Amino acid sequence: MSGLFITFEGIDGAGKSTHLASVADRLRRAGRDVVQTREPGGTALAESLRELLLQRPMDPLTEALLVFAARRDHLREVIVPALQSGRTVLCDRFTDATFAYQGAGRGFDLGVLAQLERWVQEGRQPDLTVWFRVPPEVAARRLAEARAPDRFEQQPLEFFQRVDAGYARRAEADPGRFVIIDGQGEREEVAARLAEALEARGL
Ligand SMILES: Nc1ncnc2c1ncn2[C@@H]1O[C@H](COP(=O)(O)OP(=O)(O)OP(=O)(O)O)[C@@H](O)[C@H]1O
Ligand SMILES: Cc1cn([C@H]2C[C@H](O)[C@@H](COP(=O)(O)O)O2)c(=O)[nH]c1=O
């Protein structure tokens, strides 16, 4: 039996983590066996790489390699075994984030990212990707009120405009996989839009 692999995407401060938790509760109530996880991270090794990625300066190739190294471990140790036993995996970010941040944000070679994606994922893709789309100014205001910024969150507004455009290109290239949620407004409004979109997909 194969489970369901759902990823949550968006720029920093878009609200992914807030809504992932409530989707997990809702799916559990509906009887699904849910695994909540995140990238970079999700295993001891990948969480160590996350610390480096979020705090240490490095060049774009190093950054891309570390992101995919973390993903490889995460897939082998957590995601694939969970899916093989029929569980539902909710993952806060996955490879669309790499194309958006390293590709569009940093300007790193998309062909190299595509090759790394093929090696690391061996054809495995999410079944569904929920992209919370929020203007970078709105996301920045939310984060400023919430916490001290990490290495990515310190980037200027223009970086997040490029990241947003990178997500848009990924969504255009694979429209059947993406659900785009307007992440602006109160949490309850966003949650209602999300619930409607998921119900439309039988979730
Ligand atoms: N609709 C909303 N309106 C106002 N604030 C919100 C809304 N949704 C989330 N927030 C707040 O914005 C902040 C960022 O939300 P959250 O951590 O869910 O975003 P995220 O997309 O997971 O960000 P990151 O990728 O940086 O972790 C939190 O303080 C959260 O409480
Ligand atoms: C998976 C992934 C993540 N990032 C960046 C994007 C975020 O700023 C951080 C951490 O994620 P969080 O959602 O804020 O916890 O990592 C990236 O640049 N490339 C990736 O592939």
Side-chain angles (χ1 to χ4, degrees):
M1 190 207 295
S2 182
L4 193 64
F5 183 23
I6 307 178
T7 58
F8 289 66
E9 295 285 357
I11 59 173
D12 294 84
K16 296 173 280 83
S17 315
T18 302
H19 294 288
L20 190 150
S22 59
V23 172
D25 287 345
R26 168 200 167 87
L27 294 180
R28 284 191 183 109
R29 282 197 302 274
R32 285 182 182 266
D33 184 0
V34 176
V35 176
Q36 273 174 263
T37 188
R38 68 173 181 182
E39 291 214 345
T43 67
L45 173 62
E47 289 290 334
S48 302
L49 295 176
R50 177 188 176 92
E51 288 302 312
L52 299 175
L53 279 159
L54 265 50
Q55 304 303 338
R56 299 287 180 94
M58 60 187 75
D59 86 297
L61 175 58
T62 308
E63 196 172 277
L65 292 172
L66 289 186
V67 162
F68 273 111
R71 182 162 301 134
R72 177 76 181 173
D73 194 56
H74 191 205
L75 275 164
R76 286 173 59 85
E77 299 297 324
V78 175
I79 297 174
V80 171
L83 293 174
Q84 282 174 344
S85 54
R87 305 178 79 188
T88 298
V89 177
L90 303 186
C91 189
D92 194 335
R93 299 191 185 279
F94 195 62
T95 305
D96 298 307
T98 313
F99 280 85
Y101 280 76
Q102 281 65 52
R106 303 273 195 233
F108 188 70
D109 190 317
L110 297 178
V112 174
L113 295 182
Q115 180 61 63
L116 288 168
E117 180 183 32
R118 283 191 288 275
W119 280 337
V120 166
Q121 292 169 220
E122 299 175 300
R124 173 83 58 184
Q125 291 292 349
D127 298 298
L128 180 69
T129 296
V130 183
W131 172 27
F132 292 90
R133 195 168 196 187
V134 169
E137 305 79 26
V138 173
R141 267 200 301 279
R142 287 181 187 170
L143 286 181
E145 289 165 15
R147 57 177 183 249
D150 63 34
R151 201 167 66 84
F152 291 99
E153 292 165 357
Q154 285 165 12
Q155 293 295 315
L157 222 48
E158 300 75 54
F159 175 84
F160 290 103
Q161 284 160 351
R162 292 196 299 276
V163 172
D164 177 74
Y167 275 125
R169 282 193 288 275
R170 290 286 283 183
E172 276 161 29
D174 198 354
R177 172 166 68 85
F178 272 81
V179 168
I180 305 175
I181 302 294
D182 177 0
Q184 299 180 84
E186 296 299 321
R187 287 173 186 76
E188 296 70 24
E189 293 173 58
V190 180
R193 281 178 213 133
L194 176 60
E196 192 183 344
L198 293 180
E199 273 164 28
R201 292 189 168 233
L203 291 168

